[in-house]
Short mmCIF file of all heavy atoms in Angstrom, two decimals:
data_model
loop_
_atom_site.label_atom_id
_atom_site.label_comp_id
_atom_site.label_asym_id
_atom_site.label_seq_id
_atom_site.Cartn_x
_atom_site.Cartn_y
_atom_site.Cartn_z
N LEU S 65 119.80 146.42 157.84
CA LEU S 65 121.24 146.59 158.28
C LEU S 65 122.16 146.90 157.15
O LEU S 65 123.06 147.72 157.34
CB LEU S 65 121.69 145.33 159.03
CG LEU S 65 120.98 144.92 160.39
CD1 LEU S 65 121.31 143.50 160.78
CD2 LEU S 65 121.30 145.97 161.43
N GLN S 66 121.96 146.35 155.98
CA GLN S 66 122.84 146.55 154.83
C GLN S 66 122.61 148.03 154.37
O GLN S 66 123.60 148.79 153.96
CB GLN S 66 122.52 145.56 153.76
CG GLN S 66 123.20 144.22 153.98
CD GLN S 66 122.45 143.13 153.16
OE1 GLN S 66 121.47 143.28 152.67
NE2 GLN S 66 123.20 142.00 153.13
N MET S 68 121.93 150.50 156.19
CA MET S 68 122.73 151.39 157.09
C MET S 68 124.20 151.29 156.93
O MET S 68 124.92 152.06 157.55
CB MET S 68 122.42 151.05 158.52
CG MET S 68 120.92 151.54 159.01
SD MET S 68 120.73 151.31 160.83
CE MET S 68 119.94 149.74 160.89
N GLY S 69 124.64 150.40 156.10
CA GLY S 69 126.13 150.30 155.79
C GLY S 69 126.79 149.06 156.28
O GLY S 69 128.01 148.98 156.21
N ALA S 70 126.02 148.00 156.88
CA ALA S 70 126.66 146.87 157.39
C ALA S 70 126.98 145.96 156.22
O ALA S 70 126.23 145.72 155.34
CB ALA S 70 125.75 146.16 158.29
N ASP S 71 128.31 145.47 156.21
CA ASP S 71 128.70 144.46 155.15
C ASP S 71 128.25 143.07 155.54
O ASP S 71 127.65 142.79 156.59
CB ASP S 71 130.21 144.55 154.92
CG ASP S 71 131.08 144.24 156.08
OD1 ASP S 71 130.49 143.57 157.04
OD2 ASP S 71 132.21 144.56 156.16
N GLU S 72 128.54 142.11 154.69
CA GLU S 72 128.02 140.75 154.89
C GLU S 72 128.45 140.13 156.25
O GLU S 72 127.76 139.52 157.00
CB GLU S 72 128.47 139.89 153.75
CG GLU S 72 127.88 138.54 153.75
CD GLU S 72 128.41 137.62 152.62
OE1 GLU S 72 128.61 138.13 151.47
OE2 GLU S 72 128.54 136.41 152.82
N THR S 73 129.73 140.37 156.50
CA THR S 73 130.36 139.82 157.81
C THR S 73 129.69 140.46 159.00
O THR S 73 129.35 139.81 159.97
CB THR S 73 131.94 140.16 157.87
OG1 THR S 73 132.47 139.76 156.56
CG2 THR S 73 132.53 139.49 159.00
N ALA S 74 129.42 141.82 158.95
CA ALA S 74 128.83 142.47 160.07
C ALA S 74 127.36 142.08 160.31
O ALA S 74 126.94 141.70 161.42
CB ALA S 74 128.79 144.03 159.83
N VAL S 75 126.61 141.84 159.14
CA VAL S 75 125.23 141.34 159.28
C VAL S 75 125.26 139.89 159.99
O VAL S 75 124.47 139.73 160.88
CB VAL S 75 124.60 141.31 157.91
CG1 VAL S 75 123.20 140.49 158.00
CG2 VAL S 75 124.36 142.61 157.37
N ALA S 76 126.05 139.06 159.48
CA ALA S 76 126.21 137.69 160.03
C ALA S 76 126.50 137.74 161.55
O ALA S 76 125.94 137.11 162.43
CB ALA S 76 127.24 136.87 159.28
N ASN S 77 127.48 138.62 161.84
CA ASN S 77 127.95 138.75 163.26
C ASN S 77 126.83 139.27 164.18
O ASN S 77 126.49 138.72 165.26
CB ASN S 77 129.13 139.69 163.34
CG ASN S 77 129.79 139.82 164.63
OD1 ASN S 77 129.70 138.84 165.41
ND2 ASN S 77 130.29 140.97 164.95
N ILE S 78 126.09 140.26 163.68
CA ILE S 78 124.97 140.86 164.47
C ILE S 78 123.79 139.72 164.71
O ILE S 78 123.40 139.57 165.84
CB ILE S 78 124.30 142.05 163.77
CG1 ILE S 78 125.25 143.21 163.81
CG2 ILE S 78 122.99 142.45 164.35
CD1 ILE S 78 124.96 144.43 162.84
N LEU S 79 123.55 139.04 163.61
CA LEU S 79 122.43 138.01 163.70
C LEU S 79 122.82 136.80 164.59
O LEU S 79 121.97 136.06 165.24
CB LEU S 79 121.98 137.55 162.38
CG LEU S 79 121.33 138.65 161.52
CD1 LEU S 79 120.79 138.11 160.23
CD2 LEU S 79 120.18 139.36 162.24
N GLU S 80 124.16 136.47 164.65
CA GLU S 80 124.67 135.41 165.48
C GLU S 80 124.65 135.77 166.91
O GLU S 80 124.24 134.99 167.78
CB GLU S 80 126.13 135.10 165.09
CG GLU S 80 126.34 134.22 163.90
CD GLU S 80 127.64 134.17 163.37
OE1 GLU S 80 128.58 134.52 164.10
OE2 GLU S 80 127.85 133.73 162.20
N ARG S 81 124.88 137.08 167.24
CA ARG S 81 125.00 137.46 168.61
C ARG S 81 123.59 137.79 169.16
O ARG S 81 123.38 137.64 170.35
CB ARG S 81 125.77 138.75 168.70
CG ARG S 81 127.34 138.38 168.67
CD ARG S 81 128.15 139.65 168.92
NE ARG S 81 127.87 140.28 170.29
CZ ARG S 81 128.07 141.49 170.53
NH1 ARG S 81 128.84 142.15 169.75
NH2 ARG S 81 127.90 142.09 171.82
N CYS S 82 122.70 138.27 168.26
CA CYS S 82 121.38 138.55 168.73
C CYS S 82 120.30 138.08 167.75
O CYS S 82 119.67 138.88 167.00
CB CYS S 82 121.26 140.12 168.82
SG CYS S 82 119.67 140.71 169.45
N TRP S 100 117.27 155.97 167.41
CA TRP S 100 118.78 156.04 167.72
C TRP S 100 119.35 157.14 166.88
O TRP S 100 120.46 157.65 167.25
CB TRP S 100 119.44 154.64 167.55
CG TRP S 100 119.21 153.79 168.60
CD1 TRP S 100 118.01 153.44 169.26
CD2 TRP S 100 120.14 152.97 169.32
NE1 TRP S 100 118.11 152.55 170.31
CE2 TRP S 100 119.44 152.18 170.34
CE3 TRP S 100 121.56 152.74 169.19
CZ2 TRP S 100 120.12 151.36 171.18
CZ3 TRP S 100 122.20 151.81 170.03
CH2 TRP S 100 121.51 151.19 171.02
N GLU S 107 124.71 157.32 160.18
CA GLU S 107 124.42 155.81 160.16
C GLU S 107 125.71 154.96 160.34
O GLU S 107 125.55 153.90 160.85
CB GLU S 107 123.73 155.49 158.83
CG GLU S 107 122.22 156.11 158.74
CD GLU S 107 121.26 155.21 158.11
OE1 GLU S 107 121.44 154.71 157.03
OE2 GLU S 107 120.21 155.12 158.64
N LYS S 108 126.79 155.56 160.00
CA LYS S 108 128.05 154.87 160.12
C LYS S 108 128.28 154.61 161.67
O LYS S 108 128.64 153.49 162.05
CB LYS S 108 129.23 155.62 159.58
CG LYS S 108 130.52 154.89 159.51
CD LYS S 108 131.66 155.81 158.89
CE LYS S 108 132.96 155.11 159.00
NZ LYS S 108 134.08 156.03 158.62
N GLN S 109 128.06 155.60 162.44
CA GLN S 109 128.25 155.51 163.93
C GLN S 109 127.10 154.50 164.51
O GLN S 109 127.39 153.66 165.31
CB GLN S 109 128.07 156.83 164.67
CG GLN S 109 128.39 156.81 166.15
CD GLN S 109 127.82 157.85 166.96
OE1 GLN S 109 127.13 158.79 166.53
NE2 GLN S 109 128.14 157.91 168.26
N LEU S 110 125.91 154.63 163.91
CA LEU S 110 124.85 153.80 164.38
C LEU S 110 125.01 152.35 164.16
O LEU S 110 124.91 151.49 165.02
CB LEU S 110 123.47 154.26 163.66
CG LEU S 110 122.28 153.42 163.96
CD1 LEU S 110 121.91 153.19 165.44
CD2 LEU S 110 121.05 153.98 163.31
N ILE S 111 125.54 151.99 162.87
CA ILE S 111 125.76 150.42 162.65
C ILE S 111 126.84 150.04 163.44
O ILE S 111 126.90 148.86 163.86
CB ILE S 111 126.00 150.33 161.09
CG1 ILE S 111 125.73 148.88 160.79
CG2 ILE S 111 127.36 150.77 160.67
CD1 ILE S 111 124.32 148.42 160.91
N LYS S 112 127.89 150.87 163.70
CA LYS S 112 129.05 150.40 164.59
C LYS S 112 128.47 150.15 166.05
O LYS S 112 128.98 149.10 166.61
CB LYS S 112 129.99 151.67 164.68
CG LYS S 112 131.43 151.23 165.08
CD LYS S 112 132.38 152.33 164.99
CE LYS S 112 133.72 152.04 165.64
NZ LYS S 112 134.66 153.20 165.61
N LEU S 113 127.62 150.90 166.54
CA LEU S 113 126.98 150.66 167.93
C LEU S 113 126.20 149.37 167.81
O LEU S 113 126.23 148.62 168.75
CB LEU S 113 126.15 151.84 168.32
CG LEU S 113 126.82 153.12 168.73
CD1 LEU S 113 125.76 154.19 169.02
CD2 LEU S 113 127.68 152.88 169.92
N ILE S 114 125.46 149.13 166.77
CA ILE S 114 124.49 147.98 166.71
C ILE S 114 125.43 146.72 166.65
O ILE S 114 125.17 145.68 167.26
CB ILE S 114 123.66 147.99 165.44
CG1 ILE S 114 122.68 149.17 165.45
CG2 ILE S 114 122.89 146.65 165.24
CD1 ILE S 114 121.86 149.35 164.23
N GLU S 115 126.64 146.75 165.89
CA GLU S 115 127.56 145.69 165.85
C GLU S 115 128.12 145.37 167.27
O GLU S 115 128.30 144.15 167.68
CB GLU S 115 128.78 146.08 165.02
CG GLU S 115 128.53 145.73 163.52
CD GLU S 115 129.82 145.96 162.68
OE1 GLU S 115 130.72 145.04 162.82
OE2 GLU S 115 129.92 147.02 161.97
N GLN S 116 128.35 146.45 168.12
CA GLN S 116 128.91 146.21 169.37
C GLN S 116 127.88 145.85 170.45
O GLN S 116 128.18 145.10 171.34
CB GLN S 116 129.60 147.47 169.84
CG GLN S 116 130.96 147.82 169.15
CD GLN S 116 131.55 149.14 169.54
OE1 GLN S 116 130.90 150.18 169.23
NE2 GLN S 116 132.64 149.12 170.22
N PHE S 117 126.67 146.42 170.29
CA PHE S 117 125.66 146.21 171.24
C PHE S 117 124.28 145.80 170.68
O PHE S 117 123.37 146.63 170.81
CB PHE S 117 125.47 147.44 172.20
CG PHE S 117 126.72 148.03 172.72
CD1 PHE S 117 127.48 148.98 172.16
CD2 PHE S 117 127.27 147.44 173.92
CE1 PHE S 117 128.62 149.51 172.68
CE2 PHE S 117 128.49 147.92 174.45
CZ PHE S 117 129.12 148.91 173.87
N PRO S 118 124.28 144.69 170.01
CA PRO S 118 122.99 144.40 169.25
C PRO S 118 121.81 144.18 170.24
O PRO S 118 120.64 144.67 169.90
CB PRO S 118 123.29 143.10 168.43
CG PRO S 118 124.48 142.58 169.19
CD PRO S 118 125.27 143.60 169.70
N GLU S 119 122.02 143.62 171.36
CA GLU S 119 120.89 143.37 172.28
C GLU S 119 120.22 144.71 172.67
O GLU S 119 118.99 144.70 172.79
CB GLU S 119 121.33 142.66 173.53
CG GLU S 119 121.70 141.21 173.33
CD GLU S 119 123.23 141.07 172.95
OE1 GLU S 119 123.92 142.11 172.73
OE2 GLU S 119 123.67 140.03 172.80
N SER S 120 120.94 145.70 172.94
CA SER S 120 120.40 147.01 173.29
C SER S 120 119.56 147.57 172.21
O SER S 120 118.44 148.17 172.46
CB SER S 120 121.52 148.08 173.63
OG SER S 120 122.29 147.47 174.69
N PHE S 121 120.10 147.47 170.99
CA PHE S 121 119.37 148.04 169.85
C PHE S 121 118.06 147.30 169.52
O PHE S 121 117.00 147.96 169.24
CB PHE S 121 120.20 148.08 168.60
CG PHE S 121 119.48 148.66 167.37
CD1 PHE S 121 119.32 150.02 167.15
CD2 PHE S 121 118.94 147.79 166.40
CE1 PHE S 121 118.67 150.56 166.07
CE2 PHE S 121 118.27 148.31 165.32
CZ PHE S 121 118.14 149.69 165.15
N PHE S 122 118.10 145.97 169.62
CA PHE S 122 116.95 145.19 169.26
C PHE S 122 115.93 144.94 170.30
O PHE S 122 115.03 144.14 170.23
CB PHE S 122 117.33 143.78 168.63
CG PHE S 122 118.05 144.01 167.26
CD1 PHE S 122 119.32 143.88 167.08
CD2 PHE S 122 117.17 144.41 166.15
CE1 PHE S 122 119.96 144.05 165.86
CE2 PHE S 122 117.85 144.48 164.90
CZ PHE S 122 119.17 144.37 164.78
N THR S 152 123.77 152.06 175.12
CA THR S 152 124.42 150.78 174.92
C THR S 152 124.84 150.11 176.23
O THR S 152 124.79 148.87 176.38
CB THR S 152 125.68 151.00 174.04
OG1 THR S 152 126.52 152.03 174.58
CG2 THR S 152 125.32 151.42 172.67
#
Side-chain angles (χ1 to χ4, degrees):
L65 292 170
Q66 283 159 347
M68 283 191 266
D71 59 20
E72 191 181 321
T73 312
V75 171
N77 187 27
I78 290 166
L79 298 184
E80 279 165 19
R81 283 187 58 196
C82 185
W100 281 47
E107 294 217 310
K108 190 181 173 185
Q109 188 201 5
L110 175 53
I111 200 68
K112 201 174 170 187
L113 286 175
I114 297 171
E115 273 187 77
Q116 289 174 294
F117 309 95
E119 291 86 356
S120 301
F121 179 78
F122 289 107
T152 54

